[in-house]
Amino acid sequence: MKITIIGSGYVGLVTGACFADLGNTVICADNDEKKIDMLGRGEIPIYEPGLEELVKKNKAKGRLVFTTDVKKATRDSTVIFVCVGTPPREDGSADLTGIEKVSRTVAESMDAYKLIVEKSTVPVETGEWVKDTINRFKTNDCDFDVASNPEFLREGSAIKDFMNPDRVVIGVESEKAGEILKALYEPLNTKIVVTSIKGAEIIKHASNSFLATKISFINAVSNICEKVGADVTSVAEGIGLDRRINTHFLKAGIGFGGSCFPKDLKAFIHISEKLGYKFDLLKEVDRINEMQKDLLMEKIARLVWNIRDKEIAVWGLAFKPDTDDIRSAPAIDVIRRLVKEGARIRVFDPAAMERSMEELKVEGIKWCKDIYETSDGADCVILMTEWNEFKEVDWDKLKKILRQPVIIDGRNLYDPGKLKAMGFRYAGIGRN
Ligand code: NAD
């Protein structure tokens, strides 16, 4: 098939490269000229394992091209995937101006039947607005369908997730749209859930909100564990081995971040309220998540006393390992708070340094080349992201270079017993 992707970011680029690899001809369009220039030169603007190879391979085979001409890209394909950002607004609602703009552009360039597929995460009833916008602005009297096909890939394992999904969700209102999308996903050999557009839109928001709820639940349990000296990691195992619950997303930590969970949770709360239902359960999920960062600040103060003038080593910036994405990353928020309280920060992340430098334009941060340079002379280490390369640490060396042997393990990555026996003061999340 000939496919156009509008919006070539984390989701659009992975979707485009994967569909091309499945044998389709894909045009990836984006209005960011710098991004398209880079992609044209074979450079990948984001860090995502395996993506560079996949893009290069499919570009070389002529199945993947990049353009800033969204109108032509629309005319040249039948299936148009909309993958632009839907960032949060101040009140928690999703900013859908990008979706509206693209809908208008598609309407103005359509010259034959088009299937416009929402892949961006959008609140329920966005499909209605997309249809309405296209009907109002189309300049040719051609047929079109709108569909919803939410994306569930995770940054860091995006290609694997796209190619081996647990399920594909398709929200359609016509048989033709359903048949096109089913044919497109057939090679993935997975369960396809066909529902209405509204159903598909709700599935995405509800899935992310449910996963966020699991994380906040175990974080709440971790606070009880801490109070009585139990270890949340074994408590979580004991809960999660029940197959009805399962162990995924039951890891206590400093709270969820990233470009999806916080934003989608808030957007789901907002749209529910707009529709007349107060989703208080999800408000509490959000509150618990924010509280995890307050508790982390309290832990730091408990172990180093005054934060002012302390040298703090932060290991990890990305919201999770194997990505350079720092959108709503807890590390960024915690660094801002520490700097505000007068701490000096030394920081290292294997992939997210450049993005963080752009984001954190504050005084008092030293950007280091590894965890040892970060820790040299520091009063406290805080592990924020559980990168694989942070798993093996030369603890003897670390103890020698730290001013105070204090470890705050925000991801419960290390063995508290071992570190305490070596003379470190250790605090994890939900275990002492
Ligand atoms: P992103 O910011 O990385 O990419 C969006 C791209 O759209 C950017 O390159 C931007 O330049 C482009 N764009 C914006 N307006 C445009 C326009 N009018 N015309 C052409 N291009 C335009 O965002 P992302 O992380 O890929 O997320 C995209 C959507 O997918 C969001 O709704 C997000 O919630 C959802 N989603 C993201 C993930 C994830 O892990 N990142 C997973 C599932 C779903």
Side-chain angles (χ1 to χ4, degrees):
M1 273 188 220
K2 250 190 133 175
I3 300 166
T4 286
I5 309 277
I6 306 181
S8 303
Y10 285 92
V11 166
L13 191 54
V14 171
T15 302
C18 289
F19 274 142
D21 208 54
L22 293 172
N24 302 288
T25 304
V26 180
I27 308 169
C28 276
D30 202 290
N31 61 0
D32 182 338
E33 273 183 36
K34 215 171 117 203
K35 198 173 263 186
I36 293 300
D37 281 351
M38 277 181 87
L39 287 164
R41 291 194 300 268
E43 293 167 28
I44 307 297
I46 54 170
Y47 177 88
E48 182 59 48
L51 187 57
E52 191 172 345
E53 296 76 13
L54 201 69
V55 168
K56 275 195 178 138
K57 175 181 150 198
N58 286 285
K59 223 170 139 243
K61 294 212 159 143
R63 292 195 296 241
L64 184 60
V65 295
F66 301 99
T67 181
T68 51
D69 191 342
V70 180
K71 287 191 169 174
K72 183 168 185 310
T74 301
R75 284 193 296 274
D76 286 349
S77 299
T78 306
V79 189
I80 319 289
F81 280 88
V82 181
C83 303
V84 299
T86 48
R89 292 196 305 193
E90 200 104 301
D91 63 358
S93 62
D95 183 345
L96 300 173
T97 46
I99 301 280
E100 183 183 349
K101 260 188 214 149
V102 169
S103 307
R104 252 183 97 157
T105 309
V106 168
E108 286 162 1
S109 21
M110 272 172 27
D111 54 359
Y113 171 83
K114 302 287 164 192
L115 170 57
I116 299 104
V117 189
E118 301 169 347
K119 201 173 239 326
S120 301
T121 302
V122 291
V124 63
E125 294 189 328
T126 301
E128 299 292 309
W129 280 104
V130 172
K131 261 186 286 177
D132 183 57
T133 306
I134 296 177
N135 271 324
R136 272 185 289 135
F137 290 99
K138 66 179 183 174
T139 43
N140 274 312
D141 189 25
C142 32
D143 283 344
F144 70 94
D145 276 309
V146 170
S148 167
N149 167 225
E151 184 49 59
F152 298 95
L153 62 77
R154 295 161 300 174
E155 289 172 16
S157 54
I159 295 168
K160 198 171 122 255
D161 291 346
F162 188 94
M163 293 297 203
N164 309 280
D166 290 340
R167 79 312 203 181
V168 165
V169 173
I170 290 174
V172 282
E173 284 176 349
S174 83
E175 210 172 294
K176 183 172 177 179
E179 291 312 314
I180 293 175
L181 287 172
K182 275 194 261 174
L184 200 52
Y185 280 108
E186 199 196 66
L188 298 186
N189 204 12
T190 189
K191 170 90 186 143
I192 298 182
V193 178
V194 182
T195 178
S196 61
I197 297 177
K198 289 177 189 166
E201 290 167 338
I202 292 175
I203 286 171
K204 177 63 192 179
H205 264 169
S207 299
N208 275 2
S209 299
F210 188 81
L211 293 172
T213 303
K214 274 189 96 173
I215 297 172
S216 278
F217 180 82
I218 199 64
N219 279 337
V221 171
S222 81
N223 293 322
I224 306 297
C225 290
E226 246 170 58
K227 287 192 191 298
V228 297
D231 184 338
V232 72
T233 51
S234 57
V235 169
E237 190 185 12
I239 302 169
L241 286 174
D242 184 327
R243 262 176 296 180
R244 292 169 303 176
I245 299 172
N246 88 44
T247 51
H248 301 293
F249 289 80
L250 271 191
K251 272 175 93 180
I254 41 180
F256 54 80
S259 65
C260 293
F261 283 8
K263 143 177 114 62
D264 296 346
L265 181 73
K266 287 188 175 74
F268 200 30
I269 294 170
H270 192 275
I271 188 71
S272 305
E273 202 139 326
K274 203 169 151 199
L275 291 167
Y277 179 72
K278 280 190 189 307
F279 217 144
D280 288 340
L281 171 69
L282 297 185
K283 284 188 191 160
E284 191 57 18
V285 169
D286 191 31
R287 194 190 64 83
I288 292 170
N289 196 51
E290 284 307 307
M291 203 172 66
Q292 284 307 99
K293 285 177 275 189
D294 301 341
L295 293 173
L296 183 78
M297 293 296 290
E298 282 174 23
K299 263 179 206 156
I300 301 168
R302 207 165 61 229
L303 290 181
V304 304
W305 195 13
N306 295 298
I307 288 175
R308 173 163 297 283
D309 292 332
K310 291 284 167 17
E311 198 83 37
I312 310 243
V314 176
W315 293 3
L317 291 158
F319 82 95
K320 66 173 188 175
D322 293 326
T323 180
D324 59 350
D325 199 346
I326 52 156
R327 290 179 281 185
S328 299
I332 301 293
D333 193 4
V334 166
I335 288 173
R336 282 210 174 96
R337 292 191 197 197
L338 288 168
V339 169
K340 206 167 160 207
E341 292 208 22
R344 288 189 300 274
I345 307 292
R346 306 168 68 89
V347 63
F348 170 68
D349 185 284
M353 297 287 267
E354 213 174 299
R355 279 181 200 271
S356 304
M357 282 178 201
E358 284 165 22
E359 175 71 27
L360 279 170
K361 288 199 175 81
V362 286
E363 295 286 311
I365 300 180
K366 182 167 169 34
W367 305 89
C368 301
K369 65 174 191 316
D370 60 26
I371 52 170
Y372 301 104
E373 191 190 349
T374 314
S375 312
D376 199 4
D379 294 284
C380 168
V381 165
I382 313 175
L383 174 82
M384 296 297 287
T385 317
E386 67 277 38
W387 282 92
N388 260 339
E389 60 189 276
F390 295 169
K391 284 183 182 157
E392 296 302 323
V393 178
D394 182 342
W395 295 108
D396 290 318
K397 178 175 170 184
L398 190 76
K399 193 151 177 256
K400 278 191 201 120
I401 58 178
L402 282 169
R403 186 184 295 142
Q404 301 190 56
V406 176
I407 307 280
I408 297 180
D409 183 357
R411 301 290 180 180
N412 290 342
L413 193 63
Y414 304 122
D415 178 348
K418 177 181 156 185
L419 293 185
K420 282 183 193 163
M422 288 183 74
F424 282 96
R425 297 180 73 194
Y426 172 94
I429 307 290
R431 57 180 191 171
N432 301 311

